[in-house]
Structure formats: C-alpha cells, structure tokens
Amino acid sequence: MKTLKRIALILVSVPLILIGILILYELFGMCVNHLATARQTKQLVATLKEEVPDIELTDVHSETGNTSGTGNHVDCLSLITFSTEMPQSELEDKIYQHYEYDEWMCYLAKNEDGFYRFRLNTSAPFAGNIEGH
C-alpha cells in the first residue's frame, strides 16, 4: 500500500513540478524582455542626445509585448517624441548612422505640430514568450 501511495504521489507531483518550471521560465522571459526594452529606450535617448545638441524631449514611451497585433511574438518598442531646429534630412542622416531605416520597425516622422517622433521596434530576447500571445 505504501508503494502505491508513493507512485500516486509521484504521478501527481511530476506534472505539477513541470508546470511550475514552465511558469517560472515564462516569468523569467518576461523580466528579461522588459529589461531589454528599457535598455533599448535608454540607449536610444542617449544616442539622440549625443547626435542632436538642441534636442528637447517631450515624451519617452516604451512598450513590451505584441505591438503589431499579428502573430505570436514579443517586441521591444521605443517611441521618442522630441523637438529640434535641425532640418529633417540632417537629423535622418545622424540617426540612421546608428539605426537601420525601415518603414515599420525604425523610422523618423514629423507630425503637424512640428515635433519629431522616432520609432524603434525590435524583437525581444524571448520572442516566443507568453506576453506575445
């Protein structure tokens, strides 16, 4: 009877332990993804401040998750809104020395209020994390 109880305990425990490990792995992945997004945004702000001497940041926003709404993946999104007297062509030349222009993942746009908005969207280190579903 003791042997049957031990076997039953093992049969119940193993799936619970595996589920616990999976949950811990997903939580670890979420933390790493959020840290990567924060680091990306911090680096982007530093690059902009270095390249644009008269920059005035108006908004710094970062987001981790499925930012496009398509597929099951996790992105690191950084959005920086700023103003400067620098012409847009010169600004693009300076920024795109550090980042590769892409119409969706990385671009600079000027809005109707005269503010620039720089968007950088990269894949997260744990792109298949539960946060992207």
Side-chain angles (χ1 to χ4, degrees), residues 51-54 82-95 108 110 114 116:
E51 293 293 336
V52 185
D54 67 335
F82 62 94
S83 64
T84 180
E85 295 299 319
M86 189 178 290
Q88 185 167 352
S89 59
E90 186 180 343
L91 188 59
E92 287 174 348
D93 289 342
K94 288 184 178 262
I95 291 174
L108 176 72
K110 191 171 187 178
Y116 290 99

Side-chain angles (χ1 to χ4, degrees), residues 31-103:
C31 291
V32 170
N33 288 344
H34 283 270
L35 288 172
T37 302
R39 185 177 61 183
Q40 171 181 290
T41 303
K42 183 179 177 181
Q43 183 179 10
L44 177 56
V45 168
T47 301
L48 287 172
K49 285 182 177 181
E50 179 182 314
E51 293 293 336
V52 185
D54 67 335
I55 193 168
E56 289 186 34
L57 299 174
T58 55
D59 186 35
V60 177
H61 176 76
S62 60
E63 184 177 327
T64 305
N66 187 343
T67 58
S68 66
T70 59
N72 295 331
H73 63 282
V74 182
D75 297 318
C76 299
L77 174 65
S78 302
L79 296 168
I80 312 291
T81 306
F82 62 94
S83 64
T84 180
E85 295 299 319
M86 189 178 290
Q88 185 167 352
S89 59
E90 186 180 343
L91 188 59
E92 287 174 348
D93 289 342
K94 288 184 178 262
I95 291 174
Y96 295 139
Q97 289 175 6
H98 302 276
Y99 301 99
E100 187 176 333
Y101 172 77
D102 180 329
E103 290 181 6

Side-chain angles (χ1 to χ4, degrees), residues 111-122:
N111 65 19
E112 60 277 350
D113 296 333
F115 291 101
Y116 290 99
R117 181 170 224 184
F118 186 71
R119 174 189 173 100
L120 180 61
N121 191 359
T122 60

